[in-house]
């Protein structure tokens, strides 16, 4: 796969709405274990991916195959009490809700939704399902959702899987347009999730 240099369009989940002009990309090779930044997680992709060199959050990083507006995966590692999901750019007028390690799974999902409603500036963000799953060697959870970003009529779908480990949240989120792209690249997302290992920091 060629390195991605294309523009990021309005409508990808949260982080891509505030991409700085100087943001760049780093090619992630296939079939090699990759340590995720600021996290004890590693993944082993079966495809080449592109890693955004700007971090969408203090404990987050974003990957894409074809551009964040088409297929976006965001890794959140080791989120603790007091952390926000993404960078809190409007603390005075629209502060992002902070994480609390005492949250139950429904609370975590609502917290994720609340963060994205604020960043996307949209009222159309709906959770479709929540269920338990295995995440690496831990009992985790999976949830799905759909949304429409302000100024963009395209419906996008999302799916996230994660777990609470030693009081910290680890989450991998996938978002893509509902038409074609979500189903087309969902298996690539699942492959990354299934390859997750915790190796210490």
């Amino acid at each position: 796969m060629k390195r991605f240099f294309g523009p990021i369009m309005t409508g990808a989940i949260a982080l891509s709405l505030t991409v700085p002009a100087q943001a760049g990309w780093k090619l992630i090779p296939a079939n090699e274990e990759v340590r995720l930044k600021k996290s004890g997680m590693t993944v082993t992709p079966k495809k080449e991916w592109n890693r955004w060199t700007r971090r969408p959050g203090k404990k987050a990083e974003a990957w894409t195959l074809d551009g964040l507006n088409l297929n976006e995966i965001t890794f959140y590692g080791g989120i603790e009490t007091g952390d926000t999901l993404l960078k809190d750019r409007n603390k005075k007028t629209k502060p992002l809700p902070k994480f609390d390690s005492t949250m139950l799974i429904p609370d975590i999902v609502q917290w994720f939704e609340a963060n994205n409603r604020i960043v996307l500036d949209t009222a159309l963000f709906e959770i479709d399902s929540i269920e338990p799953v295995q995440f690496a060697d831990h009992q985790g959870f999976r949830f799905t959702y759909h949304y429409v970003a302000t100024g963009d009529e395209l419906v996008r779908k999302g799916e996230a899987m994660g777990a609470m480990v030693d009081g910290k949240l680890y989450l991998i989120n996938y978002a893509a347009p509902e038409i074609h792209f979500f189903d087309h690249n969902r298996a690539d997302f699942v492959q990354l999730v299934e390859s997750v290992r915790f190796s210490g920091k």
Side-chain angles (χ1 to χ4, degrees):
M1 184 184 72
K2 295 181 179 179
R3 188 185 299 270
F4 171 74
F5 291 105
I8 299 169
M9 302 177 187
T10 299
I13 191 77
L15 66 93
S16 55
L17 297 179
T18 54
V19 176
Q22 66 271 29
W25 301 92
K26 179 180 179 182
L27 188 66
I28 301 296
N31 302 312
E32 292 184 15
E33 187 176 71
V34 179
R35 180 181 293 274
L36 300 171
K37 296 178 180 179
K38 304 288 184 179
S39 171
M41 289 191 296
T42 65
V43 294
T44 305
K46 289 186 177 179
K47 289 184 176 181
E48 290 183 340
W49 286 79
N50 299 284
R51 174 193 272 164
W52 190 31
T53 57
R54 274 301 187 100
R55 303 176 63 76
K58 182 179 178 182
K59 298 178 179 178
E61 66 177 80
W63 292 15
T64 184
L65 290 169
D66 307 297
L68 296 180
N69 59 307
L70 299 180
N71 36 52
E72 173 187 333
I73 290 183
T74 311
F75 302 90
Y76 302 95
I79 294 178
E80 303 175 84
T81 295
D83 289 339
T84 56
L85 183 71
L86 299 163
K87 289 182 179 178
D88 201 347
R89 299 180 184 277
N90 297 301
K91 293 181 181 181
K92 292 184 178 180
T93 57
K94 292 184 178 180
L96 296 179
K98 295 181 179 180
F99 183 71
D100 188 322
S101 62
T102 64
M103 289 178 174
L104 301 177
I105 292 174
D107 302 321
I108 293 172
V109 176
Q110 289 179 0
W111 170 77
F112 178 93
E113 176 184 350
N115 271 270
N116 281 290
R117 280 181 180 271
I118 292 171
V119 176
L120 291 165
D121 189 26
T122 182
L124 207 168
F125 192 108
E126 298 182 4
I127 303 300
D128 297 315
S129 66
I130 307 174
E131 63 181 353
V133 294
Q134 194 75 9
F135 185 83
D137 296 326
H138 302 273
Q139 182 61 46
F141 57 91
R142 167 185 176 271
F143 63 92
T144 62
Y145 59 90
H146 67 275
Y147 71 97
V148 175
T150 297
D152 185 357
E153 296 181 356
L154 187 64
V155 176
R156 297 174 187 272
K157 293 175 63 176
E159 179 174 348
M161 297 190 211
M164 287 292 296
V165 181
D166 297 328
K168 299 179 182 179
L169 174 65
Y170 295 84
L171 189 71
I172 303 178
N173 178 63
Y174 167 56
E178 181 180 42
I179 298 175
H180 177 70
F181 284 98
F182 184 86
D183 290 337
H184 181 70
N185 293 118
R186 182 181 178 275
D188 300 313
F189 158 69
V190 172
Q191 185 274 311
L192 285 172
V193 173
E194 291 178 344
S195 76
V196 169
R197 298 292 180 269
F198 286 88
S199 60
K201 296 182 180 179

